[in-house]
Amino acid sequence: MFNFILFGPPGSGKGTQSLKIAEKYNLVHISTGDIFRKNIREKTPLGLKVQAIIEKGELVPDALLIEILEDALQQHSKAKGFVFDGFPRTIQQAHDLDSMLGKNKESVSLVLALEVGDGEILKRLLKRAEIEGRKDDTKEVIENRIQIYNNQTQPLIDFYKNKKKFQSIQGIGGIDEIFKSICKIIDQHMD
Ligand code: ADP
């Protein structure tokens, strides 16, 4: 299996690029943000549990992430691999992912980060707010999300660097141009 993590701050373009990667390489796209938003729209028990947390820009508790991921991995047990988008976001989640994949003798194949600075992120997310109207795209909440990313998610870079699984590219440029750079790196890692 090829288990790929697309990593980066909110607004770095992970969602857009993940979809393209999943399509090209025939991998299953797992966006934890999309899963939560769907549950919120459908007012499921999970959606009701996480709605307030997400609207504040905070992280959903790690234990809930395990449930969602186990479910997704089970549903797609025949997949050629996964593109993880928005997960893992904490060191605990990274350990949980290792043990979940480990149960099937699988592991994370590659982590690729899209590098985009805080100023550009704020600009992009405020623009997205006008188009999509996501409740967590207000200036105050965006700033909170960036801070949480810097404190809780960025430490994963060293975690994966130590495992020699980490690479990064500039996340600034055209969608197709960035996609090409990503594909080049994936191609070097796929047998
Ligand atoms: P973005 O990367 O643009 O911030 P996502 O769609 O990935 O947006 O996530 C939206 C929100 O969903 C996050 O701010 C967080 O509240 C919640 N969330 C998504 N994935 C996770 C995760 N792995 N751990 C904890 N919370 C998560």
Side-chain angles (χ1 to χ4, degrees):
M1 278 174 95
F2 190 73
N3 297 307
F4 180 71
I5 297 174
L6 191 59
F7 190 83
S12 56
K14 293 189 303 283
T16 309
Q17 298 293 343
S18 296
L19 281 170
K20 290 170 74 75
I21 296 161
E23 195 189 1
K24 172 163 175 169
Y25 294 98
N26 194 17
L27 304 171
V28 174
H29 175 218
I30 297 187
S31 158
T32 44
D34 285 352
I35 294 172
F36 289 136
R37 280 185 289 277
K38 181 166 185 279
N39 279 276
I40 292 173
R41 267 198 316 275
E42 293 172 358
K43 298 194 165 51
T44 66
L46 173 67
L48 296 174
K49 226 185 270 180
V50 301
Q51 182 163 17
I53 302 173
I54 290 184
E55 286 176 5
K56 281 188 276 189
E58 272 153 28
L59 291 186
V60 170
D62 291 334
L64 284 179
L65 271 294
I66 303 185
E67 278 178 40
I68 288 169
L69 262 292
E70 271 181 343
D71 197 50
L73 296 186
Q74 255 167 26
Q75 265 184 42
H76 301 282
S77 57
K78 301 220 163 62
K80 271 182 59 188
F82 294 93
V83 182
F84 297 103
D85 161 11
F87 178 87
R89 252 177 163 94
T90 62
I91 298 277
Q92 182 60 50
Q93 290 179 18
H95 285 299
D96 294 337
L97 179 61
D98 281 346
S99 38
M100 281 187 271
L101 292 172
K103 277 186 205 157
N104 301 320
K105 303 216 164 23
E106 295 290 340
S107 60
V108 170
S109 311
L110 175 65
V111 181
L112 180 61
L114 296 174
E115 284 178 358
V116 183
D118 288 0
E120 171 73 15
I121 284 168
L122 186 61
K123 216 168 71 192
R124 286 188 191 179
L125 291 179
L126 287 173
K127 195 166 152 208
R128 182 169 83 185
E130 286 170 20
I131 303 165
E132 291 180 19
R134 254 172 66 169
K135 284 230 174 89
D136 58 350
D137 278 347
T138 62
K139 185 161 185 285
E140 204 187 16
V141 175
I142 291 169
E143 280 167 351
N144 194 23
R145 283 158 60 204
I146 294 174
Q147 205 182 351
I148 290 176
Y149 173 81
N150 289 335
N151 293 337
Q152 302 204 48
T153 307
Q154 236 176 2
L156 287 173
I157 295 178
D158 281 335
F159 178 87
Y160 287 114
K161 269 187 183 164
N162 288 336
K163 291 178 180 279
K164 312 243 178 298
K165 290 187 172 170
F166 185 84
Q167 293 218 23
S168 65
I169 58 165
Q170 273 291 331
I172 295 183
I175 290 177
D176 290 333
E177 187 192 338
I178 295 171
F179 182 58
K180 267 193 204 141
S181 318
I182 296 175
C183 293
K184 216 167 126 187
I185 296 178
I186 292 181
D187 290 339
Q188 289 164 358
H189 285 82
M190 265 188 172
D191 341 292

